[in-house]
Amino acid sequence: MRNIGVQVVIAMLIGAAVGFMMGEDASIFAPLGTIFIHLIKMLVIPLVLVSIIAGAASLGDSPKAGKIGIGTFAFFILTSAAAVALALILGNLFQPGAGIDFSTQNSANLMTVTEEQGALPGVMDTFIGMIPTNVFESLTTGNILQILFFSIFLGIALTKVKPEGAKPIITALNALIDAFVWMINYVMIIAPIGVFGLMAESVGTFGFEALEVVFKLFILFVVAILIFGFVFFPALVQLFSRVSAKEFISKMKKPQVMALSTASSMATLPVTMETCEEELKVSKATASFVLPLGATINMSGNAIYYGLVAIFFAQMYGIDLTLATYAAIIFTSTLGAIGQAGVPGPSFLVVAVLLAAGIPIDGLPLLFALDRVFDMIRTSLNITGDAACALIMDKYADQPVKE
């Protein structure tokens, strides 16, 4: 019972039960979850800034620094594409959208969805948008991509100045990381209370009725997440890292439960970093670089969601998909997953996926009512992929097991 992971699981179950019994009245517990999330978010932005600078500076001392950067991006892109492919295969095998008549659903209270909400920026716009004109504004607004760009650039710059000048700065950054970890450990004391509030509000507000319409899609989504999280990623870890698949699955329970309750890769980042460094023995340099990056751009759970939703609505509207449309779904889902920020909220990027495949977006509001539930589950897979990447890159870059 002293294990924080066990406490969080118990809090989730109690919160779900209270939310189910009290219904919308369970929203009175929402402030408990809000306080917890605010405390975590208070630490996330400065932790990302300091960790990436320290990580890039530490990796910069190695001639293999370029390998770990390229390898990390390649891992994120390829696993996201594989996630979409799995979603498309399962969707075609089990037909989750077959036989569903959208016209019979009451859409009076559903939000409207427009094409503009799913618009993806162009490649050049994306690159330009990553470069901050005022880094302090980026920190204030929480623009993670701009913070990542500046942090990596500054971290590399620290490796190019005189060692006697850079060393005290890097030492100070590592001391700050240790201070953040201390703060996070104290915030985690109230994690069960916060998780109880989050679950009670979510279940009480949305209930389980909305699942009836998309029950088959939901079950298939969970199956795909389980395959990727407990078969695919552990297999990669077993084959390409120093850690066994069994140990990886065992140690990842705590961050997975935290991701499930917060529905945010960024909010779970401190716990993921602690687990990777302290329990899975990933070097601080690798963890500080890979994990904040992954929390921002590695969204394999989102990729599965986008692929399955595209198949679901194509089948619901009786649209036959061609090889070209499948390719469009894979490309747009992968791009959209990488561009999705690591924070909870309605997945409007799925609009871009549907538009790319020529699938109507009228039925999407049916899913947005359940977005919190889907988000919780896919976030737990996202952070699992982040940790798997850190383990593999740690060996790939030939870093010490523990600094």
Side-chain angles (χ1 to χ4, degrees), residues 284-297:
K284 183 176 288 188
T286 302
S288 297
F289 180 81
V290 174
L291 294 176
L293 196 62
T296 308
I297 67 173

Side-chain angles (χ1 to χ4, degrees), residues 233-288:
F233 281 136
L236 292 181
V237 169
Q238 179 75 41
L239 292 172
F240 302 110
S241 81
R242 302 182 181 97
V243 176
S244 68
K246 183 178 180 181
E247 183 182 3
F248 176 71
I249 292 172
S250 175
K251 300 296 186 184
M252 284 303 296
K253 288 178 183 176
K254 182 178 174 181
Q256 285 171 343
V257 168
M258 188 57 57
L260 196 66
S261 57
T262 62
S264 170
S265 298
M266 295 304 299
T268 311
L269 177 60
V271 183
T272 310
M273 291 185 69
E274 181 187 21
T275 299
C276 286
E277 291 182 25
E278 301 299 327
E279 300 187 36
L280 294 173
K281 306 304 179 185
V282 176
S283 68
K284 183 176 288 188
T286 302
S288 297

Side-chain angles (χ1 to χ4, degrees), residues 123-180:
V123 175
M124 189 54 64
D125 291 335
T126 301
F127 280 114
I128 293 173
M130 289 175 62
I131 303 172
T133 55
N134 184 338
V135 70
F136 297 104
E137 181 182 353
S138 302
L139 289 168
T140 304
T141 58
N143 191 318
I144 297 295
L145 286 178
Q146 292 185 354
I147 294 170
L148 286 174
F149 181 90
F150 174 80
S151 302
I152 293 172
F153 202 9
L154 179 56
I156 293 172
L158 286 173
T159 67
K160 306 303 179 184
V161 300
K162 292 180 180 179
E164 58 269 23
K167 189 174 181 179
I169 297 176
I170 296 174
T171 301
L173 290 172
N174 287 324
L176 277 173
I177 293 173
D178 292 337
F180 281 125

Side-chain angles (χ1 to χ4, degrees), residues 19-20 22-27 30 198-209 369:
F20 180 75
M22 293 184 63
E24 294 186 359
D25 291 339
S27 60
L198 290 169
M199 288 302 296
E201 181 200 12
S202 295
V203 175
T205 302
F206 301 112
F208 299 103
E209 295 82 1

Side-chain angles (χ1 to χ4, degrees), residues 74-377:
F75 181 93
F76 293 160
I77 293 171
L78 292 176
T79 54
S80 293
V84 185
L86 173 66
L88 295 179
I89 291 170
L90 291 177
N92 278 294
L93 283 176
F94 296 99
Q95 305 281 312
I100 295 178
D101 184 5
F102 174 64
S103 63
T104 62
Q105 305 305 320
N106 180 15
S107 58
N109 296 321
L110 297 179
M111 61 193 294
T112 57
V113 182
T114 65
E115 295 186 10
E116 290 75 15
Q117 288 172 314
L120 287 175
V123 175
M124 189 54 64
D125 291 335
T126 301
F127 280 114
I128 293 173
M130 289 175 62
I131 303 172
T133 55
N134 184 338
V135 70
F136 297 104
E137 181 182 353
S138 302
L139 289 168
T140 304
T141 58
N143 191 318
I144 297 295
L145 286 178
Q146 292 185 354
I147 294 170
L148 286 174
F149 181 90
F150 174 80
S151 302
I152 293 172
F153 202 9
L154 179 56
I156 293 172
L158 286 173
T159 67
K160 306 303 179 184
V161 300
K162 292 180 180 179
E164 58 269 23
K167 189 174 181 179
I169 297 176
I170 296 174
T171 301
L173 290 172
N174 287 324
L176 277 173
I177 293 173
D178 292 337
F180 281 125
V181 170
W182 182 90
M183 295 168 72
I184 289 159
N185 286 334
Y186 271 83
V187 170
M188 289 302 295
I189 292 174
I190 68 165
I193 299 173
V195 168
F196 165 79
L198 290 169
M199 288 302 296
E201 181 200 12
S202 295
V203 175
T205 302
F206 301 112
F208 299 103
E209 295 82 1
L211 276 176
E212 294 176 5
V213 181
V214 293
F215 182 73
K216 198 171 180 181
L217 171 67
F218 179 76
I219 294 299
L220 205 56
F221 172 71
V222 172
V223 169
I225 293 290
L226 292 176
I227 291 173
F228 229 71
F230 290 93
V231 178
F232 182 75
F233 281 136
L236 292 181
V237 169
Q238 179 75 41
L239 292 172
F240 302 110
S241 81
R242 302 182 181 97
V243 176
S244 68
K246 183 178 180 181
E247 183 182 3
F248 176 71
I249 292 172
S250 175
K251 300 296 186 184
M252 284 303 296
K253 288 178 183 176
K254 182 178 174 181
Q256 285 171 343
V257 168
M258 188 57 57
L260 196 66
S261 57
T262 62
S264 170
S265 298
M266 295 304 299
T268 311
L269 177 60
V271 183
T272 310
M273 291 185 69
E274 181 187 21
T275 299
C276 286
E277 291 182 25
E278 301 299 327
E279 300 187 36
L280 294 173
K281 306 304 179 185
V282 176
S283 68
K284 183 176 288 188
T286 302
S288 297
F289 180 81
V290 174
L291 294 176
L293 196 62
T296 308
I297 67 173
N298 182 35
M299 303 287 160
S300 50
N302 295 51
I304 287 176
Y305 177 75
Y306 298 154
L308 274 177
V309 168
I311 288 289
F312 175 77
F313 283 112
Q315 292 168 355
M316 192 174 80
Y317 288 110
I319 298 172
D320 293 325
L321 301 179
T322 64
L323 286 176
T325 52
Y326 282 125
I329 291 171
I330 292 175
F331 176 78
T332 315
S333 297
T334 303
L335 185 65
I338 291 174
Q340 175 83 35
V343 294
S347 301
F348 286 114
L349 282 174
V350 75
V351 179
V353 178
L354 298 183
L355 292 174
I359 301 170
I361 60 175
D362 300 355
L364 268 180
L366 282 173
L367 299 182
F368 286 162
L370 283 167
D371 193 71
R372 176 75 185 189
V373 179
F374 280 109
D375 210 1
M376 291 163 60
I377 297 170

